[in-house]
Amino acid sequence: MTAAPPPPSNTINQLISVLPDELNFPFELEKQSFCDLKIVNNTEHYVAFKVKTTSPKKYFVRPNTGVVLPGDSCVIRVTLQAQREYPPDMQCKDKFLLQSTIVAPNTDVDDLPQDTFNKESGRALEECKLRVVYVSPATAQGNLDDESTRSSMRGPDGNSNQALQRLKEERDVAVRQTQQLQQELDLIRRRRYRKGDPGFSFTFAIFVGLIGIMVGLLFNLLSSSPTT
């Protein structure tokens, strides 16, 4: 594998953009909740990323490691596992760390060396720290109601435009998730062929089913999108 090019001197904290800048979870006992992070590659290089947290048993991150192509983006879903008790004053001290670094062109996530995200390796790493905020269901619903009220005040045209924008955003998310599932499916295939075992597996069947579901969702969104 060819060596990764060094990052330009003006790319400090500029390899990727992360939205939003904090993780907000509607918190209810015995219920899971999730928050999506969108990362955007701001460079002309391949950029690898890794997500770490101070409480790995509480959260499920998918994908937690990946490679973003130049100018492309990736959606990371962080799921908060069901909790049995409320935190004191609904305050959360959990933190997330998103590391990123430039890698060689055409690098696949399966090709990343084990020390890719170790500072001792000498590789230039950028880090983005994200805090966790727990939101009560009533507050989350109140935010939705406020947005609905603002939408109604904009009139029919505003509502139509907002509905169209929502559909487009949902369609884009479905497209990205379908692409991620396809990439993971291709990765599983490559790993199996490398091991000399091209047989069919239950995990393989699960990914095929998930891709079918996402394609169906995408089809429904495209079919229901109003014409512009």
Side-chain angles (χ1 to χ4, degrees):
M1 182 185 299
T2 59
S9 58
N10 62 344
T11 59
I12 298 178
N13 297 325
Q14 294 298 321
L15 289 183
I16 59 175
S17 299
V18 183
L19 297 172
D21 57 2
E22 64 181 18
L23 291 161
N24 290 271
F25 295 96
F27 191 94
E28 291 186 77
L29 291 182
E30 304 294 343
K31 288 187 178 181
Q32 287 187 344
S33 62
F34 67 88
C35 179
D36 286 342
L37 287 176
K38 180 179 181 180
I39 60 175
V40 181
N41 184 350
N42 300 322
T43 75
E44 297 179 353
H45 306 285
Y46 280 63
V47 174
F49 69 86
K50 185 177 183 65
V51 182
K52 300 179 180 179
T53 178
T54 55
S55 302
K57 294 183 179 181
K58 289 174 60 177
Y59 302 93
F60 178 71
V61 183
R62 185 181 186 87
N64 67 340
T65 307
V67 177
V68 186
L69 276 59
D72 203 356
S73 62
C74 176
V75 175
I76 303 171
R77 171 153 294 189
V78 183
T79 301
L80 171 64
Q81 304 297 331
Q83 301 296 302
R84 296 183 178 180
E85 59 183 16
Y86 288 102
D89 300 323
M90 286 290 287
Q91 299 298 314
C92 181
K93 297 181 179 180
D94 299 336
K95 304 291 183 182
F96 278 80
L97 178 67
L98 198 156
Q99 296 178 305
S100 58
T101 184
I102 292 177
V103 295
N106 301 316
T107 296
D108 189 270
V109 64
D110 197 37
D111 300 326
L112 295 175
Q114 293 184 352
D115 64 347
T116 298
F117 301 99
N118 291 339
K119 295 181 180 180
E120 292 77 9
S121 66
R123 184 186 296 270
L125 292 176
E126 288 188 7
E127 296 184 341
C128 176
K129 297 180 179 180
L130 303 169
R131 72 188 188 106
V132 175
V133 178
Y134 290 158
V135 181
S136 66
T139 301
Q141 184 61 43
N143 292 336
L144 292 176
D145 293 341
D146 291 342
E147 180 60 27
S148 177
T149 301
R150 287 194 295 269
S151 298
S152 63
M153 294 176 64
R154 297 189 187 107
D157 292 340
N159 289 338
S160 298
N161 291 336
Q162 187 176 17
L164 177 60
Q165 181 62 31
R166 261 199 315 268
L167 285 173
K168 289 181 178 179
E169 291 175 355
E170 291 175 358
R171 179 189 61 190
D172 292 342
V173 170
V175 169
R176 288 193 295 268
Q177 291 179 344
T178 301
Q179 291 174 343
Q180 290 176 12
L181 288 172
Q182 182 62 53
Q183 291 174 358
E184 294 181 7
L185 177 59
D186 292 340
L187 177 58
I188 289 176
R189 286 175 175 169
R190 287 196 296 270
R191 285 176 175 173
R192 293 185 65 84
Y193 286 139
R194 288 175 183 175
K195 294 178 181 179
D197 180 15
F200 194 85
S201 69
F202 181 67
T203 304
F204 182 84
I206 291 177
F207 276 101
V208 171
L210 288 175
I211 289 177
I213 293 173
M214 296 306 303
V215 171
L217 175 61
L218 176 60
F219 178 79
N220 289 334
L221 289 174
L222 292 175
S223 300
S224 61
S225 297
T227 58
T228 55

